Amino acid sequence: MSHRYRFAKKKSRIALWLKAAALFTGVGALGIVIARVSLPTDPALDRRIDQSIAETIAPLEIPAGTQDAATPSEWPTAQTHQPPALSDPANTSTTEEKTLSSHVIHDTTTTTVRVRSGDSLSVIFSRLGLSAQEANQVIALGDQIAPLEKMRPGDTLDIQISTDQSLMGINYQISPNQSLMIHRDADHQLTADQIVLPMETRLATAEGHIDRSLYQSAIDAGLSANMVLQLADIFGWKINFLKDVQNGDHFRIVFEEKFLKGKRVDTGQVMAAEFVNNGKVFQAVRYTTPDGKAGYYEPNGASLGRGFLRYPVEFSRISSKFSLARLHPIYDKIKPHKGVDFAAPTGTPIHASGAGRIEFVGWQHGYGKVIKIKHDGGYETVYGHMSRFNDTLKKGSTVAMGQTIGFVGMTGDATGPHLHYEFHVNGVYTDPLVAKMPEANPIPSKYRKDFLAQTQSVLDLMAQSAQSTPLNAANTSTTIVAD
């Protein structure tokens, strides 16, 4: 067999091997990835392949005695470019879902919302562009989100919303040391937690001289508006603060201050108080019985309280007094006003002024939403213009003195948010600000030793303040009370 014939035969076999290799590895020199091909039959393509083979084998010397058939392993390893592995469709879907979940959790915007008069969770969500379904998911958490049902105008909510307009979380500051946190868990379900941080309670003293009004003098002494109301309530059955207080009167109190992480964040209860009215000294001290009932007493154990609260709501001012000849602001004619109107923001809690039984709860003419309570001894109280009731109450329910029965509003014939409060004695309309009330019971004899032991330290602190602290100054005591 001639050398020329053997070379042609080798050339043919080499071409076949290269074509076969191209089926599996591709032609690296051309950068082409072959997935599925048939052997070429086009003459022009054959010529191009022949040319490529000639260029490839030209430098090679084929020694004598070489076998006619060469195996692929004898050829230099070709460098090929492997295509990237295709992902399994199921895995691709999972990856996309994980990416979306991560996006929702981390890519959020926090909006601080101030609660307005008449706001509910649904109203707030609508204002933010959140769906009713989102609000229903929160409401479905039930008792866990009960604080949201007691939101008051001025409260704030921090609401987290994802870029696809989904609710991711809510933070509601219930009190300086207590917050409600709602968030999405790992399963994208809403959960709620109430977080309570421990606070330290210290006793502080303050005193003031009245030269304009009790309220302004107390504020000047560093007291909060709530503490002014406490002070008025403590001595409310001994002193008529609307008529009896005069310039030259003075007061002194021992009260609680609340500290969170070393910072003063709130005030607590008045623990002891002294009020000098027209030269007459009145003193009070707070005592809590072993069964948890708290009240104010004179240092000898006599009760300062009565069977009724003087003021059933925390109010900013008395907008209309008891009068049998008042010009009605809506009807513009003289009409008796057989109660007292306490101006307060919508949503302010209204308390039962005494223990009793609900006689009526519902809507009644100009009163709007109203509750009537019947008390022992021939007394009856009426609370009108409410925005809403305590949902647990109904006709026949018993209530305790100070229990929240509803919230301030302006339903019925009202020109602004306030509580219309009436006090009836044996069926006769009576001015609740001057009516004489039955006294509460003194300290029971079985608690007398405990009373003296519990109250002596705060009375001593108040006496020390009288000796060392000038008027119109306030100082914080180093006394620490376990919370």
Side-chain angles (χ1 to χ4, degrees), residues 228-348:
V228 177
L229 292 173
Q230 283 190 57
L231 187 61
D233 195 51
I234 290 168
F235 295 113
W237 299 113
K238 294 290 186 179
I239 305 167
N240 189 324
F241 284 93
L242 295 177
K243 298 193 303 183
D244 296 343
V245 175
Q246 53 190 294
N247 289 342
D249 289 353
H250 64 271
F251 61 87
R252 179 178 292 110
I253 69 171
V254 178
F255 63 99
E256 294 176 326
E257 287 187 312
K258 303 291 184 177
F259 287 79
L260 184 63
K261 298 180 180 179
K263 182 180 179 181
R264 181 181 182 271
V265 295
D266 201 4
T267 57
Q269 298 291 341
V270 172
M271 300 305 295
E274 178 181 277
F275 200 96
V276 179
N277 175 231
N278 196 24
K280 188 175 181 179
V281 179
F282 299 92
Q283 287 188 326
V285 63
R286 183 180 175 86
Y287 171 65
T288 303
T289 63
D291 59 359
K293 295 180 180 178
Y296 290 94
Y297 300 85
E298 296 181 28
N300 62 7
S303 178
L304 279 168
R306 292 294 187 273
F308 291 85
L309 300 175
R310 178 72 81 183
Y311 310 110
V313 67
E314 293 181 6
F315 61 97
S316 59
R317 63 189 175 87
I318 293 177
S319 54
S320 186
K321 297 180 180 180
F322 184 93
S323 174
L324 297 179
R326 182 192 70 154
L327 179 64
H328 196 283
I330 293 180
Y331 300 114
D332 195 29
K333 64 180 181 179
I334 300 298
K335 189 176 182 180
H337 187 245
K338 299 178 180 180
V340 174
D341 290 349
F342 297 101
T346 297
T348 303

Side-chain angles (χ1 to χ4, degrees), residues 442-450:
I443 290 292
S445 57
K446 63 180 180 179
Y447 294 147
R448 186 160 185 79
K449 286 184 178 179
D450 184 63

Side-chain angles (χ1 to χ4, degrees), residues 368-438:
K369 291 183 177 180
V370 61
I371 286 181
K372 296 181 180 181
I373 303 177
K374 196 173 186 65
H375 311 271
D376 292 339
Y379 297 97
E380 184 182 68
T381 53
V382 179
Y383 312 79
H385 305 314
M386 291 185 178
S387 60
R388 58 191 177 95
F389 306 119
N390 179 338
D391 293 335
T392 65
L393 300 180
K394 60 183 179 180
K395 182 177 181 180
S397 298
T398 57
V399 293
M401 182 172 68
Q403 180 178 340
T404 298
I405 59 174
F407 302 88
V408 169
M410 51 183 296
T411 55
D413 295 343
T415 57
H418 70 278
L419 168 67
H420 174 79
Y421 175 59
E422 293 181 5
F423 193 81
H424 307 164
V425 181
N426 294 322
V428 178
Y429 291 88
T430 307
D431 186 349
L433 300 181
V434 298
K436 291 184 178 181
M437 305 292 181

Side-chain angles (χ1 to χ4, degrees), residues 95-111:
T95 302
E96 289 175 353
E97 289 175 2
K98 289 180 179 178
T99 303
L100 177 60
S101 176
S102 175
H103 170 77
V104 169
I105 291 173
H106 298 291
D107 195 0
T108 63
T109 300
T110 300
T111 301

